[in-house]
Amino acid sequence: MHQRSTLILNKMKKNNDIFDRLIRAARRIPENDQTPYSFEKRIMAQLRDVKPVDNVAIWALGLWKAAVPCVAVMLLITTWATLSTTTDANASSDALASELQHTMTQPFQALEESW
Amino acid sequence: MLAAQHILQLKGLCVGLINETKLDRSEEKTIIRRVLHGDTAAYESLIAHYQPRVFATARKYARRESEVEDIVQEIFIKTFKKLDSYREEAPFEHWLMKISVRTCYDYLRKHQRNKVSSFSDIAQEDFDLLEVYGEDKHPTREKQEAINKLVHDLLERLQPAARMVITLLDIEGKSVKEIAKITGWSVSLVKVRAFRARKEMRKILEDFNQEKYL
């Protein structure tokens, strides 16, 4: 048991040691900051096709995209509302008529009472 | 005599080139404002000034020169597009390096080549060189090049986040806070990723050692 744990410890120690050596080796790699000749010209050529970010255009595009689902929802609701009123119309036409009459005459009734 | 004259001329040319791309902070601010007001051509001097730094950063994460050039190009185009979001309180260089590191990270994530399980492309002699690294104070150029290649090969096997953390924390010696600022990760996430990265690297080294003796 003791021998096995010593073996594992030694292995770990060795791995740590190699890891440290790897990091030290990586630190010693000199930075290569060489640039290809006229590289900035290449980027500038690319930039001519790049348009600056226009926030108004982004908003307009977003709103335009949102308009289509909004219209679709509106149409659905309108259709649903129209269909539901036509089916209920016959059943509740009398009730609606009396309610309308009651609403229209309500102010006059109130006036009569106050006289 | 003639050779000395040539050297002097070359020296003058080099100094001229260096001066041409040297910028102080006020000049830098003026250039940025000019670019923001539509003078795109002014951006060229910013590229000329900062490209060596950006190239050095990109070369830490990509090996092929064509890939490095693509990354650098993407960094400068991104910087140009986002220039209106740059706040002048912090140095432009810090802001640019943040974009550079994040672009390199995106590149690593897109081009994950660390799925290789076999170590066949790593030479045994090169790994042995690493085992005795540091004992030889003045390694030959060939030895140093072999070690550099080995370091790249081993780092390539790490997951993108692990490679990023090991490069920034262990190799470049940046603090956890600095890394958090650069990458946009939280301090605790950097710590967790650093722990996992070291563990992953040790596992790779252990696997290589095991394969070596099979």
Side-chain angles (χ1 to χ4, degrees):
Chain A
M1 184 69 185
H2 176 72
Q3 204 179 9
R4 196 167 168 245
S5 57
T6 319
L7 211 77
I8 292 167
L9 270 173
N10 281 342
K11 204 175 152 189
M12 273 172 69
K13 209 177 154 189
K14 200 190 171 191
N15 279 335
N16 283 347
D17 184 47
I18 295 176
F19 177 78
D20 290 342
R21 283 170 198 263
L22 174 81
I23 297 300
R24 262 188 286 150
R27 277 184 193 154
R28 274 182 70 174
I29 298 176
E31 271 201 353
N32 180 1
D33 62 358
Q34 282 182 330
T35 54
Y37 179 70
S38 283
F39 189 76
E40 62 273 20
K41 303 268 183 235
R42 182 174 138 182
I43 299 172
M44 290 311 289
Q46 293 276 324
L47 281 180
R48 265 172 222 129
D49 304 328
V50 175
K51 284 176 186 152
V53 181
D54 185 359
N55 290 329
V56 179
I58 292 169
W59 268 99
L61 188 76
L63 290 172
W64 183 242
K65 278 184 181 171
V68 180
C70 284
V71 168
V73 170
M74 194 182 78
L75 284 172
L76 275 171
I77 291 170
T78 314
T79 318
W80 177 70
T82 316
L83 286 173
S84 63
T85 38
T86 47
T87 49
D88 296 343
N90 297 329
S92 59
S93 59
D94 291 340
L96 269 173
S98 66
E99 260 179 45
L100 180 68
Q101 193 183 4
H102 181 72
T103 314
M104 294 302 282
T105 55
Q106 184 69 36
F108 302 107
Q109 280 171 6
L111 269 174
E112 277 167 17
E113 275 165 21
S114 67
W115 278 102
Chain B
M1 186 68 186
L2 202 68
Q5 265 183 339
H6 277 300
I7 290 167
L8 276 174
Q9 273 177 349
L10 271 172
K11 208 176 164 186
L13 194 72
C14 289
V15 169
L17 279 171
I18 290 164
N19 285 340
E20 200 179 73
T21 55
K22 215 171 188 179
L23 288 175
D24 62 34
R25 256 193 102 179
S26 63
E27 271 178 307
E28 200 176 85
K29 277 182 185 174
T30 318
I31 292 168
I32 292 167
R33 278 177 204 152
R34 270 170 61 198
V35 177
L36 287 172
H37 284 100
D39 181 8
T40 312
Y43 189 61
E44 193 174 330
S45 51
L46 276 182
I47 303 173
H49 183 65
Y50 285 112
Q51 61 179 350
R53 184 90 205 272
V54 177
F55 262 98
T57 305
R59 283 195 183 104
K60 283 176 190 161
Y61 303 98
R63 268 169 116 174
R64 262 181 269 153
E65 208 49 31
S66 60
E67 288 173 338
V68 172
E69 285 179 14
D70 286 347
I71 294 172
V72 175
Q73 188 175 303
E74 202 186 322
I75 290 167
F76 280 114
I77 290 175
K78 241 185 219 178
T79 310
F80 177 77
K81 282 183 182 171
K82 290 182 177 177
L83 204 59
D84 58 342
S85 66
Y86 165 64
R87 300 281 160 266
E88 286 178 0
E89 300 100 55
F92 177 75
E93 194 178 357
H94 291 187
W95 187 70
L96 176 68
M97 291 327 288
K98 214 187 261 187
I99 294 178
S100 305
V101 169
R102 288 180 189 188
T103 310
C104 289
Y105 180 58
D106 290 342
Y107 162 81
L108 286 178
R109 283 171 60 187
K110 274 186 212 159
H111 303 82
Q112 276 194 57
R113 275 175 292 185
N114 47 341
K115 299 285 170 200
V116 200
S117 52
S118 165
F119 291 94
S120 53
D121 54 332
I122 295 180
Q124 182 55 56
E125 310 88 71
D126 296 344
F127 196 80
D128 292 342
L129 274 178
L130 188 66
E131 283 189 338
V132 290
Y133 187 80
E135 287 161 22
D136 187 1
K137 294 283 173 203
H138 303 287
T140 60
R141 204 179 151 195
E142 288 78 30
K143 265 188 190 175
Q144 192 58 50
E145 274 174 10
I147 284 192
N148 294 356
K149 189 185 167 291
L150 176 74
V151 169
H152 277 291
D153 282 341
L154 289 170
L155 287 175
E156 250 176 24
R157 275 153 211 280
L158 290 170
Q159 291 291 322
R163 184 169 180 185
M164 191 71 85
V165 166
I166 286 203
T167 307
L168 294 170
L169 189 74
D170 293 317
I171 302 171
E172 287 184 19
K174 287 193 163 58
S175 70
V176 173
K177 269 187 185 172
E178 279 175 311
I179 298 169
K181 265 189 188 172
I182 291 170
T183 54
W185 302 335
S186 66
V187 171
S188 51
L189 184 64
V190 174
K191 283 180 187 169
V192 169
R193 284 190 164 162
F195 175 76
R196 283 187 196 152
R198 286 169 182 157
K199 200 175 159 190
E200 199 184 324
M201 194 73 232
R202 283 191 186 103
K203 177 87 175 62
I204 289 168
L205 294 169
E206 195 187 322
D207 288 350
F208 187 79
N209 260 331
Q210 268 175 4
E211 205 166 285
K212 185 169 90 171
Y213 295 115
L214 281 179

